[in-house]
Amino acid sequence: MSNTLTESGSRGRAGDKVFSGIALFAGCLILFVLFCVAVFLLWQALPTFTADPAEITGGSGFWTYIWPIVIGTLIAAAIALLIATPISIGVALFISHYAPRKLSQGLGYVIDLLAAIPSVVYGAWGMTVLAPALVGPYVWLAENAGWIPIFAGPASQTGKTMLTAGIVLSVMVLPIITSLSREIFLQTPKLHEEAALAMGATRWEMIRMTVFPFARAGIISAIMLGLGRALGETMAVAMVLSGGGLIASLIKSGNQTIAAEIALNFPEAFGLRLAELIAAGLVLFVITLAVNMIARWIVSRHKEFSGAN
Amino acid sequence: MSQTATRTPSPLRKNTLTKNQLPKWAIWAVLAGSLVLGAAVSSLIGFHVVGWALFSAVIFVIAGFLVTLSVEGERKAKDRFATNLIYAAFIVALVPLVSVIWTVLEKGLPGMTSNFLFTSMNGMTGVVDNETVENGTPVLGGAYHGIVGTVLITFWATVISVPVGLLTAVYLVEYSRGGPLSRGITFFVDVMTGIPSIVAGLFAAALFGLIFGPSTRTGFVAAVALSVLMIPVVVRSTEEMLKIVPNELREASYALGVRKWRTIIKVVVPTAISGIASGVTLAIARVIGETAPLLVTAGFVNSINFNAFAGWMTTLPTFIYRQLMNPTSPTNIDPSAQRAWAAALLLILIVMLLNLIARVIARLFAPKTGR
């Protein structure tokens, strides 16, 4: 009897060891994969850095090649965030503090629906519906605001410009910023809000005094996560933007982003060109990694009193 | 009865209470006025519904602010202004959603035929499409190969991601004691959530390119790329679900002399299984629409390929992309566009269905917590 007990006990102990070992292995595997992503990209990109600068696309080295598309990526992400941030904070406030209580959960689903639509569908929509619709406004902008460098004409006749790509990107990052901000707005302590209202504050004053200070870190990290998405988004830009060299005007065809450059050229690339594109991917990886790490760091710094994580 | 006399509000007092209040109809009057004025302004530069709505909205927000400012004072005016802006933000956010869904339904429904669902693009050349347009016959060719590819690649991605994600979550919740390793894993899982999908695709392409020679493109390479995107989602959702399993259940199990690993397998995971299943379903819904990593890992073919380990593979997203960007017949792009939009509709339906299934699972099989 005692024999069987100890037997099963030792078998159980072995099982414990094996299981915890497997779990630990799985956890380490994730770190290993992330490490591999960096190493393999670096390994495959290496020929670009050692190659003769004249052989690189553009003919004057990798950094001259990558610089315009890094700037293009940043421009597209900046447009997307400029449009999406105020709107998504407004939508989040609407759902958390303005909409009737019965509606607000349903509205949350509607915003999640926006996030569920695949990026290629947004790209298709941007290229067949949005771009033609924006030709008129672009022409008007070029005529009336052409003295501002970003609206310099002549406007694109297809509407496939940086501004269109930025607008499509803003539609795609909007649900991310909205749902994260909404979560945080809903966690504002009820007592703070009621105290503000009891002092005679209007609803807007209540939001400014209690909700925003509480949610500031969360909003910033939500914006950073949206930025990460906007930087890495590929299809929308690849389909909507007819790319080219770096130009200041946002309503002419031109500019390119890293992700779209890779997606458009990778299928036909080989040899040094392949290494170039992988190096471009490495640059994108480093940029988004930095953005995400900063976002997470902000969240973790404010972990105690905000539920943004 | 002097008391009743003091209780009845004097006309003077009532007047001061309502003096600085706009009547309820005032805001509707402002809205009507803004609509008329907006129509007038927009017709000055050529009438258009969008222009009308835009001008009316701007005029309404400003007029609402000014009217409230003049009657109710600055604080109320600011409140009104903010309220109007927040409502406007919500309406603006709905415009693209409605437009996207309307476009997909309008352009996708005509192409949703059994022919589209059950034939591939094998042998479909520009000549076929040109004849279709000239003779006005139904569009031939479909996305069957794309459906097969999507199902297979997503299946393999799930097979890779679910065990790894599940076990990592188990490690984080059950075994780690908040040490540097677990904090590192949590941090990098969060960071991994933000990896651009194209970089995940490049990683898989680079990895397999190094092992099997450059330009190795199969369904399995794509599945590896997708699992890089999927694992962090699975880890996060499973972690959340394991955390809310009550500690009493674990302790009851330990008290009966059950080993930790059997407790996890027999008690903890079954309790949280509904949440885990719905999290996995949401993760599948997230990766099934990915396009960029598939472009660089799975290639593109017109024929059906059932083998994920050899040969190029098409998925629905890459099918949409290719049909729109490189139409089968460059002169008659309508058949290609119709196929692409039908595929988009199908893809959205699949994603919506997965989201719905996730919610149903979470609701139906949720453990009774007694709360």
Side-chain angles (χ1 to χ4, degrees):
Chain A
M1 183 65 194
S2 74
N3 191 22
T4 53
L5 257 181
T6 48
E7 214 170 64
S8 90
S10 69
R11 198 145 40 88
R13 199 172 302 136
D16 244 0
K17 282 233 173 72
V18 168
F19 192 73
S20 72
I22 294 174
L24 180 65
F25 172 75
C28 294
L29 188 69
I30 289 184
L31 292 183
F32 180 68
V33 165
L34 201 65
F35 176 72
C36 278
V37 171
V39 168
F40 278 115
L41 289 184
L42 198 61
W43 181 264
Q44 295 270 17
L46 220 51
T48 325
F49 301 107
T50 55
D52 180 18
E55 287 173 24
I56 307 281
T57 310
S60 46
F62 178 66
W63 299 111
T64 333
Y65 162 70
I66 197 83
W67 179 246
I69 56 175
V70 168
I71 298 295
T73 310
L74 295 181
I75 294 175
I79 298 172
L81 282 190
L82 277 180
I83 299 172
T85 305
I87 294 180
S88 39
I89 290 178
V91 174
L93 274 180
F94 180 81
I95 294 173
S96 66
H97 285 85
Y98 282 83
R101 190 129 303 208
K102 278 181 192 160
L103 263 181
S104 60
Q105 203 181 13
L107 292 176
Y109 286 154
V110 170
I111 297 301
D112 289 346
L113 206 70
L114 261 175
I117 296 175
S119 59
V120 67
V121 177
Y122 278 121
W125 172 76
M127 125 186 193
T128 53
V129 177
L130 188 66
L134 284 175
V135 172
Y138 286 166
V139 170
W140 185 86
L141 269 178
E143 278 171 12
N144 295 289
W147 48 274
I148 308 174
I150 56 169
F151 295 133
S156 156
Q157 287 306 304
T158 54
K160 294 187 171 187
T161 68
M162 200 62 180
L163 195 53
T164 316
I167 292 171
V168 175
L169 282 183
S170 74
V171 175
M172 300 176 72
V173 299
L174 187 127
I176 298 177
I177 306 182
T178 302
S179 60
L180 288 172
S181 315
R182 184 194 56 182
E183 294 286 310
I184 302 155
F185 291 161
L186 284 175
Q187 285 170 357
T188 315
K190 264 273 153 336
L191 283 176
H192 291 195
E193 295 178 5
E194 283 165 5
L197 289 174
M199 299 294 280
T202 60
R203 186 152 51 174
W204 173 241
E205 284 167 343
M206 178 269 282
I207 288 169
R208 268 188 48 201
M209 286 189 293
T210 65
V211 178
F212 282 162
F214 178 81
R216 188 169 296 134
I219 294 176
I220 292 172
S221 80
I223 294 171
M224 297 290 271
L225 291 179
L227 175 64
R229 173 84 194 262
L231 287 171
E233 182 47 52
T234 316
M235 299 324 292
V237 181
M239 294 173 85
V240 168
L241 179 66
S242 74
L246 185 68
I247 49 166
S249 174
L250 302 178
I251 58 171
K252 281 197 270 194
S253 37
N255 292 332
Q256 189 59 283
T257 70
I258 299 178
E261 171 89 2
I262 299 170
L264 290 173
N265 294 310
F266 197 90
E268 282 86 33
F270 59 91
L272 188 60
R273 183 82 179 117
L274 199 68
E276 254 175 56
L277 292 175
I278 290 179
L282 188 66
V283 172
L284 180 66
F285 178 61
V286 171
I287 296 175
T288 49
L289 205 63
V291 168
N292 279 302
M293 281 166 94
I294 294 171
R296 296 296 169 187
W297 178 69
I298 293 173
V299 176
S300 66
R301 222 177 36 153
H302 293 261
K303 206 174 231 165
E304 310 84 58
F305 55 92
S306 103
N309 43 333
Chain B
M1 294 291 155
S2 59
Q3 282 171 331
T4 45
T6 50
R7 271 186 190 170
T8 39
S10 65
L12 185 79
R13 178 141 181 78
K14 189 180 180 193
N15 190 23
T16 50
L17 264 180
T18 55
K19 197 179 76 182
N20 291 337
Q21 283 253 313
L22 278 173
K24 280 211 165 141
W25 50 263
I27 206 66
W28 297 108
V30 173
L31 180 63
S34 318
L35 285 175
V36 173
L37 208 59
V41 175
S42 63
S43 56
L44 280 182
I45 59 162
F47 186 80
H48 193 269
V49 177
V50 179
W52 180 39
L54 211 64
F55 281 116
S56 305
V58 172
I59 294 170
F60 175 67
V61 170
I62 296 172
F65 177 73
L66 291 177
V67 169
T68 320
L69 182 68
S70 61
V71 180
E72 297 186 344
E74 195 193 333
R75 290 175 51 217
K76 284 283 182 65
K78 274 185 185 166
D79 185 47
R80 170 88 68 202
F81 188 66
T83 308
N84 284 342
L85 281 189
I86 284 166
Y87 275 79
F90 182 71
I91 295 168
V92 168
L94 280 186
V95 169
L97 179 68
V98 172
S99 172
V100 168
I101 290 178
W102 174 254
T103 311
V104 171
L105 282 177
E106 189 196 15
K107 301 194 177 198
L109 275 179
M112 268 296 191
T113 57
S114 68
N115 187 39
F116 169 78
L117 289 174
F118 297 111
T119 58
S120 73
M121 290 294 287
N122 205 0
M124 290 296 142
T125 54
V127 181
V128 179
D129 272 359
N130 288 342
E131 278 172 11
T132 306
V133 172
E134 278 160 22
N135 305 334
T137 49
V139 175
L140 294 171
Y144 182 64
H145 57 314
I147 299 170
V148 169
T150 296
V151 169
L152 280 176
I153 290 176
T154 316
F155 169 76
W156 281 109
T158 313
V159 166
I160 300 170
S161 326
V162 169
V164 175
L166 205 67
L167 285 167
T168 306
V170 165
Y171 171 75
L172 287 176
V173 177
E174 306 288 333
Y175 285 103
S176 80
R177 293 185 187 83
L181 179 66
S182 73
R183 268 183 287 139
I185 293 174
T186 312
F187 183 75
F188 280 106
V189 163
D190 281 344
V191 168
M192 241 173 125
T193 326
I195 288 188
S197 55
I198 185 109
V199 172
L202 283 182
F203 157 68
L207 172 71
F208 282 81
L210 216 58
I211 302 172
F212 298 106
S215 302
T216 306
R217 287 181 199 160
T218 62
F220 191 68
V221 184
V224 169
L226 289 187
S227 61
V228 171
L229 299 169
M230 201 171 159
I231 287 173
V233 185
V234 175
V235 173
R236 284 310 302 221
S237 58
T238 311
E239 205 189 335
E240 296 298 319
M241 288 305 133
L242 292 182
K243 270 183 192 162
I244 59 170
V245 172
N247 245 341
E248 286 83 351
L249 288 181
R250 296 190 182 95
E251 283 160 6
S253 174
Y254 295 152
L256 291 170
V258 181
R259 285 275 165 197
K260 188 167 189 175
W261 69 284
R262 286 189 66 85
T263 306
I264 293 168
I265 291 177
K266 295 278 181 188
V267 177
V268 179
V269 172
T271 313
I273 195 71
S274 72
I276 295 172
S278 90
V280 168
T281 320
L282 286 178
I284 295 173
R286 187 197 129 128
V287 298
I288 208 167
E290 283 294 351
T291 321
L294 297 162
L295 278 179
V296 301
T297 51
F300 183 86
V301 283
N302 282 335
S303 52
I304 303 163
N305 178 6
F306 280 107
N307 187 354
F309 296 92
W312 291 19
M313 225 176 201
T314 300
T315 60
L316 279 177
T318 46
F319 178 79
I320 300 170
Y321 175 75
R322 292 292 295 211
Q323 288 290 319
L324 282 175
M325 300 291 277
N326 308 54
T328 312
S329 159
T331 46
N332 289 310
I333 60 169
D334 286 345
S336 283
Q338 184 184 325
R339 284 191 289 261
W341 284 106
L345 179 61
L346 185 63
L347 190 58
I348 287 188
L349 285 179
I350 293 174
V351 174
M352 299 289 154
L353 195 68
L354 285 172
N355 275 293
L356 200 69
I357 290 173
R359 288 196 198 288
V360 170
I361 292 174
R363 189 158 298 173
L364 281 189
F365 302 100
K368 310 270 182 296
T369 53
R371 267 188 292 165

